[in-house]
Amino acid sequence: MCFLETGFHQTGVRDIAARAGVSLGNLYNHFPGKHDVLLEIARLERQELDPFIALLEKDGPAPKRFGKFVGVYAKYLAAPENVILTIEITSEAIRKDDLGELFWKNRAALVAALTRLLQRGVENGDFNLPTSPEEAAHMVLELIEGRAYHSVLGEAKMRKLLPGLKAFLSAAIGAKAR
Amino acid sequence: MCFLETGFHQTGVRDIAARAGVSLGNLYNHFPGKHDVLLEIARLERQELDPFIALLEKDGPAPKRFGKFVGVYAKYLAAPENVILTIEITSEAIRKDDLGELFWKNRAALVAALTRLLQRGVENGDFNLPTSPEEAAHMVLELIEGRAYHSVLGEAKMRKLLPGLKAFLSAAIGAKAR
Amino acid sequence: MCFLETGFHQTGVRDIAARAGVSLGNLYNHFPGKHDVLLEIARLERQELDPFIALLEKDGPAPKRFGKFVGVYAKYLAAPENVILTIEITSEAIRKDDLGELFWKNRAALVAALTRLLQRGVENGDFNLPTSPEEAAHMVLELIEGRAYHSVLGEAKMRKLLPGLKAFLSAAIGAKAR
Amino acid sequence: MCFLETGFHQTGVRDIAARAGVSLGNLYNHFPGKHDVLLEIARLERQELDPFIALLEKDGPAPKRFGKFVGVYAKYLAAPENVILTIEITSEAIRKDDLGELFWKNRAALVAALTRLLQRGVENGDFNLPTSPEEAAHMVLELIEGRAYHSVLGEAKMRKLLPGLKAFLSAAIGAKAR
DNA sequence: TATGAATGAGGCTTCATTCAT
DNA sequence: TATGAATGAAGCCTCATTCAT
């Protein structure tokens, strides 16, 4: 995808069309304008979250689920394409409300699932949250994303960052060794 | 600053010049090009960090310093202008190495100071870090920033996010009540 | 008809097709191209002239026929749709010969009928033409049209322009009161 | 001027710029948009009317002035460039109010001068108008224009049309031989 | 050093027309 | 015959940058 290589604003509609294998004119039969192409991509991103949500909602011990989730989600975000796309979308969402809404709707789905997991963990005595489950869920996600940005923009290796991240998060949510 | 209102790519050099009170032609006597204006802004951002670094390096009990830092830095980032500018710069830094370098140099200064504080806290038995001080420092900053993005893009209130953030961080770094 | 509302060049073939209740593709089964749609409209305009020609060719006193004709033809042209369409066609006819020919063929039919009426009037001693009947016929039509353009573009009321027009024409053709 | 050769809508801004000897970009330093180029041309057309107005306002016998005016104005309009430009402007003025206003303002100047001349002729007993001087002025102009359109679009020769036109007009305004 | 008119490549989008179904 | 998705040239306009003054 050329938004990744060139960035949304640097990419011309001709490039988009060419990469999509459509003629320029036909691109406009599918999208009202360039902006809507990004919107559609953001919409597709939503589907990529489904496996993570599914993972969070599976049965089983909360700490194990949590650890697993952190690992796979971090690895997913460590792919430059995912981070860069997120940044492009975020950056555009600042001034385009429709993108903004979509952005938060996507995230809300993830937050909700993670919140439920944390809640369950608290009820089982597995976690000792320093704040509400929902707030904690937000922060967990933000931290994972922060690490991902670091790994991509700063060219660190997520592989090396992950243990520290997990330890930090475990401490933060008061995860108990069993 | 008009990059805030309109975004880097949507802002024309004429707007930049007008806002700066310089003539268009003269802008080019000060900067080789549009990109370099952003570079200069990123350079100026560095100075804005000085007070926070100073705060981190003051004497006094580490936990108190830490708490204070989190509060003021979060409040600083909660200003939309700071978040938006950071996003604009980040987004541009993806594909412009000079900006990228600057971005990381700026952050390194903050990380270094925070690392030292955490280190001191560990040595004093105030903190119980789940990972290396430097890694922890990175994560602390990333979490604060994550919350800031959330507050600005999602229109939450940092005032309300701050207690949860502090609690989460305290738990994460094993801050001990005294 | 959308050429009226939007103008020939501002109207897309899709609009034409939609308004005509035909599919876009099928429009091209009926017309070789956009231009030919206008050509066909000009062709249809010819039929609209038939009643006026019939009126001119009826028996009866020439001055009465003439007065009647001026009244109904002026009223017909006072409808914005007729004036606008004529202007669109004229404007296009400048550079499209087929339209131009059609335009003059339409007019010739009217001129011929009016010429005959004037001729008859002269023979009967009802009119005292300052020039040849045919030339006079042209000028009569041009004046009626001029008034119509005025009424439509300048938002005057044809109702108010008509008496002056008739008086002017009567004087011009030397119509005698009986 | 390329609007003459190609028509306003068929002419691209690049052609306009090229013909004007300006770069495309610079065209937009002088005009907000394509439409405004036509507007400016209409504005310039106003100046072309000045000699005719001056002629109408000179002293001397009204019939002679009138005859002279009809001759020169008809000859002026007989130039295809003037007729075509007028048609382009008229056609555009239908849906663009600013052009419409300009169009009528231009004409009003001519009408006013001609009205005064006719008035004077009436007072001197030279003319015997069948209607108000102003109405007559409008019609005189419309008829001259009608003949001009005829001569240009129909490829008649104004030289041949002029005597008939003058005779027709003389009859219409009741001009007396002295 | 300061100015802003000039440049022209490139921006996004529309549109008449074609053609596979 | 009827459809509308596909085409890509051409549409108008913006913009970073240059340069004569």
Side-chain angles (χ1 to χ4, degrees):
Chain A
M1 231 271 306
C2 39
F3 290 164
L4 293 174
E5 289 151 28
T6 336
F8 179 67
H9 284 107
Q10 271 80 359
T11 304
V13 277
R14 294 178 141 80
D15 304 327
I16 301 175
R19 189 65 80 89
V22 217
S23 72
L24 174 55
N26 199 24
L27 181 68
Y28 281 87
N29 289 336
H30 296 303
F31 300 96
K34 188 188 178 188
H35 169 73
D36 304 85
V37 176
L38 189 58
L39 207 57
E40 178 62 16
I41 289 175
R43 220 168 265 129
L44 292 174
E45 285 257 283
R46 172 62 183 79
Q47 299 175 12
E48 309 239 327
L49 298 181
D50 282 341
F52 304 110
I53 292 173
L55 179 67
L56 286 166
E57 289 178 336
K58 265 195 196 152
D59 286 337
K64 206 175 147 192
R65 291 250 79 77
F66 181 80
K68 179 101 194 178
F69 166 76
V70 172
V72 297
Y73 188 52
K75 213 158 278 175
Y76 166 73
L77 286 180
E81 63 219 50
N82 293 316
V83 165
I84 295 178
L85 203 48
T86 303
I87 292 178
E88 295 289 338
I89 290 173
T90 309
S91 153
E92 194 65 8
I94 295 173
R95 278 166 288 262
K96 298 290 163 61
D97 287 349
D98 45 6
L99 247 189
E101 272 177 44
L102 202 49
F103 177 85
W104 285 110
K105 224 184 62 187
N106 285 358
R107 157 160 297 237
L110 207 50
V111 167
L114 182 52
T115 299
R116 280 191 296 273
L117 178 69
L118 292 176
Q119 179 81 54
R120 234 178 63 208
V122 169
E123 284 159 7
N124 291 357
D126 287 325
F127 299 152
N128 181 20
L129 297 186
T131 173
S132 78
E134 192 183 340
E135 243 185 335
H138 275 293
M139 288 190 275
V140 166
L141 292 176
E142 285 159 13
L143 193 47
I144 299 175
E145 285 159 13
R147 295 273 73 189
Y149 290 5
H150 187 130
S151 87
V152 169
L153 299 176
E155 300 184 354
K157 294 269 182 292
M158 178 52 89
R159 202 184 54 249
K160 293 198 176 161
L161 300 179
L162 198 51
L165 171 60
K166 282 188 172 173
F168 192 89
L169 285 174
S170 292
I173 64 174
K176 276 153 198 132
R178 284 244 198 166
Chain B
M1 231 271 305
C2 36
F3 290 163
L4 295 175
E5 289 150 27
T6 333
F8 179 67
H9 285 106
Q10 275 79 359
T11 305
V13 272
R14 309 180 111 80
D15 302 327
I16 301 174
R19 191 65 81 89
V22 211
S23 74
L24 174 59
N26 202 21
L27 181 70
Y28 280 86
N29 289 333
H30 295 306
F31 299 96
K34 186 187 179 186
H35 169 74
D36 306 270
V37 175
L38 189 59
L39 208 58
E40 178 63 16
I41 288 174
R43 219 168 267 129
L44 292 173
E45 284 256 285
R46 174 62 184 78
Q47 299 175 12
E48 307 236 334
L49 297 181
D50 282 341
F52 303 110
I53 293 173
L55 179 68
L56 285 167
E57 289 179 335
K58 264 192 195 155
D59 286 339
K64 207 175 149 191
R65 291 253 79 75
F66 180 81
K68 180 98 192 178
F69 167 77
V70 171
V72 297
Y73 188 52
K75 214 158 277 174
Y76 166 74
L77 284 181
E81 64 219 49
N82 293 315
V83 166
I84 293 176
L85 201 50
T86 302
I87 292 178
E88 295 288 339
I89 290 173
T90 309
S91 152
E92 195 65 8
I94 295 172
R95 279 166 289 261
K96 298 290 163 61
D97 288 347
D98 46 6
L99 247 188
E101 274 176 41
L102 202 49
F103 177 85
W104 286 110
K105 225 184 64 187
N106 286 357
R107 157 161 297 237
L110 206 52
V111 167
L114 181 53
T115 300
R116 280 191 295 275
L117 179 69
L118 291 176
Q119 178 81 56
R120 234 177 62 206
V122 170
E123 285 159 6
N124 291 357
D126 288 324
F127 299 151
N128 180 20
L129 297 185
T131 174
S132 78
E134 190 181 342
E135 241 184 338
H138 275 293
M139 288 191 274
V140 166
L141 293 176
E142 285 158 15
L143 192 46
I144 299 175
E145 285 159 13
R147 296 272 76 189
Y149 290 7
H150 187 131
S151 87
V152 168
L153 298 177
E155 301 184 355
K157 294 267 181 294
M158 179 51 90
R159 199 184 56 249
K160 293 199 178 161
L161 301 180
L162 199 49
L165 172 61
K166 282 187 171 174
F168 192 89
L169 285 173
S170 292
I173 65 174
K176 278 155 193 131
R178 285 242 199 169
Chain C
M1 232 272 305
C2 37
F3 290 163
L4 295 175
E5 289 150 29
T6 334
F8 179 66
H9 285 106
Q10 274 80 358
T11 304
V13 271
R14 310 179 110 80
D15 303 327
I16 300 173
R19 191 65 81 90
V22 211
S23 74
L24 174 58
N26 202 20
L27 182 69
Y28 280 87
N29 289 332
H30 295 305
F31 299 97
K34 186 187 178 184
H35 168 73
D36 305 270
V37 176
L38 189 59
L39 208 57
E40 177 63 16
I41 288 174
R43 219 168 268 130
L44 292 173
E45 285 257 286
R46 174 61 185 80
Q47 300 176 10
E48 307 237 332
L49 297 182
D50 282 341
F52 303 111
I53 292 173
L55 179 67
L56 285 167
E57 289 179 336
K58 264 192 195 157
D59 287 336
K64 206 174 149 191
R65 290 252 79 75
F66 181 80
K68 180 98 191 177
F69 167 74
V70 172
V72 296
Y73 188 51
K75 214 159 277 174
Y76 166 72
L77 285 180
E81 64 219 49
N82 294 315
V83 166
I84 294 177
L85 201 49
T86 303
I87 293 178
E88 295 289 338
I89 290 173
T90 309
S91 153
E92 195 65 7
I94 296 173
R95 280 166 289 261
K96 297 290 163 61
D97 288 347
D98 47 5
L99 247 187
E101 273 176 42
L102 202 49
F103 178 85
W104 286 110
K105 223 185 65 187
N106 286 356
R107 155 160 300 235
L110 207 50
V111 166
L114 182 51
T115 299
R116 280 190 297 274
L117 179 69
L118 291 176
Q119 179 81 55
R120 234 178 61 206
V122 169
E123 286 159 5
N124 291 356
D126 288 324
F127 299 151
N128 181 20
L129 297 186
T131 174
S132 78
E134 190 181 342
E135 242 185 335
H138 275 294
M139 288 191 273
V140 167
L141 293 176
E142 285 160 13
L143 192 45
I144 299 175
E145 285 159 12
R147 296 272 75 189
Y149 290 7
H150 186 131
S151 87
V152 168
L153 298 177
E155 300 185 355
K157 293 268 182 293
M158 179 50 89
R159 201 185 53 251
K160 293 199 177 161
L161 300 179
L162 199 50
L165 172 61
K166 282 186 172 175
F168 193 89
L169 285 174
S170 292
I173 65 175
K176 278 156 194 132
R178 287 242 198 165
Chain D
M1 230 272 306
C2 37
F3 290 164
L4 294 175
E5 288 151 28
T6 335
F8 179 67
H9 284 106
Q10 272 80 358
T11 305
V13 279
R14 294 177 142 81
D15 303 328
I16 301 175
R19 190 63 80 90
V22 219
S23 71
L24 172 57
N26 199 24
L27 180 68
Y28 282 88
N29 289 336
H30 296 304
F31 299 98
K34 189 189 178 187
H35 169 74
D36 304 85
V37 176
L38 189 58
L39 206 58
E40 178 63 16
I41 288 175
R43 220 168 265 129
L44 292 174
E45 285 257 284
R46 172 62 184 78
Q47 299 176 12
E48 308 238 329
L49 298 181
D50 282 341
F52 303 110
I53 292 173
L55 179 67
L56 286 167
E57 289 178 336
K58 265 195 196 151
D59 286 337
K64 206 175 146 191
R65 291 252 79 77
F66 181 79
K68 179 101 194 178
F69 167 75
V70 172
V72 297
Y73 189 51
K75 213 159 278 175
Y76 167 73
L77 285 181
E81 63 218 50
N82 293 317
V83 166
I84 294 177
L85 203 48
T86 303
I87 292 178
E88 294 289 339
I89 290 172
T90 308
S91 152
E92 194 64 9
I94 295 173
R95 278 166 287 262
K96 297 291 163 58
D97 287 348
D98 45 6
L99 247 188
E101 274 177 42
L102 202 49
F103 177 85
W104 286 109
K105 226 185 62 189
N106 286 357
R107 157 160 298 237
L110 207 50
V111 166
L114 181 52
T115 299
R116 281 191 296 274
L117 179 69
L118 291 176
Q119 178 81 54
R120 234 178 62 207
V122 169
E123 284 159 7
N124 292 356
D126 288 324
F127 298 150
N128 180 21
L129 298 185
T131 174
S132 78
E134 191 183 340
E135 242 184 336
H138 274 293
M139 288 190 275
V140 166
L141 293 175
E142 284 159 15
L143 193 46
I144 300 174
E145 285 159 12
R147 295 273 74 189
Y149 289 7
H150 187 130
S151 86
V152 168
L153 298 177
E155 300 184 355
K157 293 268 182 294
M158 179 52 89
R159 199 184 56 250
K160 294 199 177 161
L161 301 179
L162 199 49
L165 171 61
K166 282 188 173 174
F168 193 90
L169 285 174
S170 293
I173 65 175
K176 276 150 198 138
R178 286 243 197 168

